Amino acid sequence: MTSAGFNVTSSLTLVGFSSLSGHSSLLFFVFLLLYLFLLFSDSLVIYIICSQRALHRPMFAFVASFLLNSLTASTTIYPKLLSDLLLSGAGLVQVSRTLCLCQGFFVTILGAASFMLLSAMAFDRYLSICHPMHYAVLVTPAKVVLMLLFCWMLPSILVVVTTLLASRLPLCRAQLNRVYCDLYSLVSLSCGGAEAQLSGIYSVLFTAVIVFPATFLLFSYARILFICLWRSRSFSSKALHTCLPHLLVFFNYTISIFLDLLLRRLQSNRESDSSLITSFLILVPTVLNPVVYGLKLKEVFTHVKRLLSCRRDS
């Protein structure tokens, strides 16, 4: 049913994989294996951090929370993606607008929370390295809990408002050239008007949840680097070694978002290119997280190796 040229249908079509329909079986097994790997690796690192009292420290609390956030984000995408590949053969996928809004809501919150958590890790490392004498007073368990709640609550508040506005927008089109739903793409289907402009204002506010934490993160690590230049080589090596995993994950997410923005900016009509980049944006950040933290954090890697060797021996 249409009114004044507006599409008010409650059904949307995802066309992200339509040009790759001949490879649906291969795509299904690739995504399935990657999702199983994510479930195992993220859960393993989280279990080790929670079960080892030696790792009950603020830095590892932030790492476990970040991996839990990443695992939850993967769960909002992969099961639906696998179901679409299995049932539609990587063709056109019909999805209700309500379900699309729900997926976009959680994907957006968890994506923003990732940057907030990374900035919290940077702040923790900054206090630990630059103010070691006051670290125990400044970073207490209660303050860690408050920081974690803030990292999830601020994006949630902004995204709730954005989602409510997006749900009221009239649509001119019903096709998303994506393999999953996100709020930005949903808003781009609208016909504009005052509500779209108001939604754009909240989109700017939401962007602040990514830009400001990223700026704060870079400032914190720049300060750490400056301090390390004036300290002993052993101190600098240890400090930079603890910061390296967080920086790798940060640049991993930043590059993925840059590619996503570039894709939207170019407004490419070639579905195969769009699907390829979208797949990259889904896979790389989430797959690398447990690998980086499991291998590059010495304390975690030691327990991972010990746990896996015990199971192999038994």
Side-chain angles (χ1 to χ4, degrees):
M1 182 178 185
T2 60
S3 177
F6 297 143
N7 184 357
V8 295
T9 180
S10 60
S11 178
L12 299 172
T13 305
L14 300 178
V15 298
F17 278 155
S18 60
S19 63
L20 304 174
S21 57
H23 307 284
S24 59
S25 299
L26 176 61
L27 289 172
F28 175 83
F29 284 110
V30 168
F31 280 112
L32 178 61
L33 289 175
L34 286 169
Y35 183 50
L36 293 176
F37 170 78
L38 285 171
L39 288 176
F40 172 76
S41 55
D42 279 336
S43 300
L44 177 63
V45 176
I46 293 171
Y47 167 76
I48 288 174
I49 292 175
C50 293
S51 62
Q52 301 297 324
R53 293 185 60 86
L55 301 181
H56 291 180
R57 289 181 280 165
M59 183 183 76
F60 296 105
F62 288 122
V63 170
S65 300
F66 179 80
L67 291 179
L68 179 62
N69 186 84
S70 176
L71 182 60
T72 307
S74 300
T75 304
T76 63
I77 294 177
Y78 277 92
K80 176 67 168 59
L81 184 62
L82 291 170
S83 174
D84 293 340
L85 286 171
L86 187 63
L87 298 178
S88 66
L92 301 179
V93 177
Q94 297 293 325
V95 60
S96 69
R97 186 177 183 180
T98 301
L99 181 60
C100 204
L101 280 168
C102 288
Q103 188 181 46
F105 172 77
F106 287 108
V107 168
T108 307
I109 285 180
L110 296 168
S114 296
F115 277 88
M116 297 289 290
L117 289 167
L118 286 170
S119 67
M121 293 184 203
F123 183 60
D124 172 73
R125 291 298 84 206
Y126 168 74
L127 293 178
S128 176
I129 295 170
C130 300
H131 302 281
M133 302 298 294
H134 307 287
Y135 179 74
V137 177
L138 295 173
V139 187
T140 63
K143 291 179 180 178
V144 170
V145 172
L146 288 176
M147 290 176 67
L148 290 175
L149 289 176
F150 179 75
C151 289
W152 278 305
M153 290 303 298
L154 180 60
S156 298
I157 293 171
L158 294 177
V159 176
V160 163
V161 178
T162 306
T163 305
L164 290 175
L165 291 172
S167 67
R168 299 170 57 193
L169 294 176
L171 301 181
C172 289
R173 292 170 291 131
Q175 283 195 346
L176 282 172
N177 191 18
R178 310 282 288 180
V179 297
Y180 65 94
C181 296
D182 65 272
L183 294 181
Y184 186 92
S185 297
L186 276 172
V187 172
S188 69
L189 298 180
S190 68
C191 301
E195 289 180 285
Q197 294 176 0
L198 188 59
S199 181
I201 294 175
Y202 279 100
S203 296
V204 172
L205 294 177
F206 169 73
T207 302
V209 180
I210 295 178
V211 175
F212 289 162
T215 304
F216 178 75
L217 181 148
L218 292 174
F219 170 78
S220 298
Y221 286 125
R223 288 287 298 166
I224 291 173
L225 180 61
F226 179 78
I227 292 294
C228 289
L229 292 176
W230 296 95
R231 304 295 289 270
S232 65
R233 179 174 297 181
S234 60
F235 175 88
S236 301
S237 177
K238 183 178 179 181
L240 295 177
H241 183 75
T242 61
C243 296
L244 180 60
H246 309 310
L247 283 171
L248 289 175
V249 173
F250 168 71
F251 286 117
N252 173 36
Y253 270 87
T254 303
I255 292 172
S256 298
I257 287 183
F258 172 77
L259 290 174
D260 189 31
L261 293 176
L262 181 62
L263 173 65
R264 298 176 191 275
R265 188 74 174 176
L266 294 176
Q267 292 292 315
S268 174
N269 293 321
R270 292 173 296 179
E271 294 178 0
S272 59
D273 293 344
S274 174
S275 301
L276 182 62
I277 298 178
T278 301
S279 303
F280 173 82
L281 298 176
I282 294 174
L283 294 174
V284 175
T286 52
V287 169
L288 288 184
N289 292 338
V291 175
V292 169
Y293 285 120
L295 297 180
K296 298 302 293 183
L297 287 178
K298 183 179 178 181
E299 299 90 337
V300 175
F301 179 66
T302 300
H303 291 288
V304 169
K305 188 166 58 173
R306 184 181 305 168
L307 180 63
L308 294 178
S309 62
C310 290
R311 292 192 174 185
R312 192 183 304 115
D313 294 337
S314 61

